[in-house]
Amino acid sequence: MTVLKFPQGFTWGTATASYQIEGAAQEDGRGVSIWDTFAHTPSKIVNGDSGDVACNHYHLTKQDIQLMKALNVNAYRFSIAWPRIFPQGRGVLNEVGLDFYSRLVDDLLEAGITPYVTLYHWDLPQSLQDEGGWLRRGIADDFVAYADTVSQALGDRVKHWITFNEPWCIAWLGYMIGVHAPGLTSDTPRQALAATHHLYLAHGMSVPVLRRNSPDAQVGITLNFSPAEPATTKPDDQEATITYDGWYNRWYLDPLYRKEYPADMLALYHAYLPDIQPGDMETIAAPLDFLGVNYYSRAVIKATGEPMLPFQQTHPEGEYTEMDWEVYPLGLYNLLKRLHSDYNPPAIYITENGAAFKDVLTPDGKVHDERRIVYFEGHLEKVQHAINDGVPVKGYFAWSLMDNFEWAEGYTKRFGLYYVDYETQKRYLKDSGAYYASVVAAN
Ligand code: JJW
């Protein structure tokens, strides 16, 4: 095993999200979210699973912080469930919900763990969905009011804010492909583009509010990336790769860092564009302190010949995780270099990286997940390489602290550093968790 050396002050963490771990879905005044509705719709989730109980983290918080301590990490990325704060999306505040997160923050700080708070990790209050969700431009005001309330309450202690997690997933999986909540499908990209624009407005409008309520805070956003490579050197495969990159990566980067949607994609989508009003792009491009990067795999692309959907992902020879995602650490290095050269964010955090494998809990309570160790080691080496090349990567969050509700895959995909026995709610440190703890300890 190589010894990995990172800069002084590097942030080491693990990441989770509210709906994936908390459970207690009907407790302490929490409102209904779109993921409650979606998960309770037959056939949407593998095995009919839901986040009703999940890892019961809502009741096991203190013990879960001890799990973090055992990993030696100094940071924890978690998300706040909007419907715990405003059960109806806006209006009446649920103090008990806010108190849960306030206590969590206090307990983390007492344990020497810095909280990194994601405001929106997919659990929109159902009542706002009933008004159109992210298709309604006015939802930006509701998000700002929510962000204002949370940052007024926690902003004295929380100094790292992530407005949104994975806008691409929210818009395309939720509003066109339909495999995530709210599960809407469409033959055109119109709805996904409108959802993107409105959530980007919400993002940009909330940045100054977070700065006002949380002095000296670092504010950023987390995007999911799918760095693309052509399957062959044929010009049509190369062109299809550029379009795929425009769809998945540049459509989300260019507004933040260039105040515009990419011109080639605007041309492709011209019949389906959202209502972009004067000043919108300035609002969206509010300067950020960091970019959060979620990386799991690359995409190898070939042309289809279809004008609106000119690309198709291929399945090259290689090693794959249980998600059927190729293990490709070099993609992370390439991505980091590209973000640095093309967009130059002042700081980058890897806010998610990890892998699902078939884990087996042995009778003596161990999980020998050698492949996950190799995955983490390979990717951490690439992060180190990028740092040595001058990319300002300031921290790394392993996805995830523990096995949890993996959205449409339910509980069948395990990403944790801890194995969760969902029958007993017992957690078991995997070999990869011990490995990660040793990397952190050496740094
Ligand atoms: C794409 C499925 C059609 C999560 C996708 C499905 C249909 C083109 C992991 N990241 O649990 C991407 N995750 O909550 C956030 N990242 O398409 C955190 N990306 O494709 C993790 C799922 C994902 C996906 C899942």
Side-chain angles (χ1 to χ4, degrees), residues 17 20 121-122 165-166 168-169 173 177 179-180 224 247-248 294 296 323 325 352 399 404-407 415:
Q20 295 182 272
H121 200 127
W122 304 359
N165 179 71
E166 301 185 344
W168 180 92
C169 287
L173 302 181
I177 301 168
V179 295
H180 283 183
N224 56 309
W247 174 59
Y248 210 112
N294 290 358
Y296 290 94
M323 298 293 283
W325 295 343
E352 287 180 26
W399 184 271
N404 59 51
F405 178 77
E406 180 50 39
W407 309 112
F415 279 90

Side-chain angles (χ1 to χ4, degrees), residues 231-438:
T232 74
T233 55
K234 282 192 268 178
D236 56 345
D237 286 343
Q238 293 186 328
E239 240 175 82
T241 303
I242 291 169
T243 307
Y244 177 91
D245 180 57
W247 174 59
Y248 210 112
N249 305 312
R250 288 183 288 119
W251 192 266
Y252 293 87
L253 284 162
D254 287 21
L256 300 176
Y257 293 100
R258 297 181 180 168
K259 272 189 214 176
E260 61 193 15
Y261 290 112
D264 57 334
M265 302 308 293
L266 283 170
L268 180 69
Y269 292 147
H270 72 275
Y272 308 106
L273 292 177
D275 174 26
I276 303 170
Q277 296 183 9
D280 282 2
M281 301 315 289
E282 283 71 22
T283 299
I284 290 169
L288 299 176
D289 302 297
F290 65 87
L291 174 65
V293 170
N294 290 358
Y295 175 81
Y296 290 94
S297 189
R298 68 166 169 173
V300 178
I301 299 298
K302 69 174 186 195
T304 63
E306 287 179 47
M308 273 313 288
L309 203 71
F311 47 75
Q312 192 183 327
Q313 202 169 331
T314 65
H315 200 274
E317 286 289 304
E319 199 204 339
Y320 284 79
T321 71
E322 278 295 293
M323 298 293 283
D324 203 25
W325 295 343
E326 186 191 2
V327 178
Y328 193 69
L330 182 59
L332 179 54
Y333 172 80
N334 293 340
L335 170 64
L336 291 171
K337 291 278 285 184
R338 187 261 184 117
L339 292 172
H340 182 54
S341 66
D342 288 3
Y343 298 97
N344 198 28
I348 292 175
Y349 287 91
I350 311 297
T351 42
E352 287 180 26
N353 176 233
F357 290 112
K358 270 210 171 70
D359 291 322
V360 179
L361 183 66
T362 65
D364 58 344
K366 307 243 184 277
V367 178
H368 301 304
D369 56 339
E370 183 62 27
R371 295 180 68 194
R372 191 175 284 104
I373 295 176
V374 172
Y375 183 98
F376 278 122
E377 185 178 37
H379 287 77
L380 285 169
E381 265 178 34
K382 299 304 178 189
V383 174
Q384 183 188 42
H385 189 181
I387 294 171
N388 291 342
D389 287 359
V391 183
V393 183
K394 302 301 182 192
Y396 177 94
F397 294 80
W399 184 271
S400 177
L401 171 64
M402 57 189 156
D403 298 335
N404 59 51
F405 178 77
E406 180 50 39
W407 309 112
E409 305 295 330
Y411 296 98
T412 61
K413 301 291 186 282
R414 294 176 176 272
F415 279 90
L417 297 173
Y418 285 90
Y419 182 97
V420 176
D421 178 341
Y422 294 106
E423 298 293 316
T424 62
Q425 289 296 351
K426 274 198 164 153
R427 288 86 157 110
Y428 299 87
L429 184 68
K430 299 180 190 178
D431 287 357
S432 61
Y435 164 75
Y436 191 60
S438 73

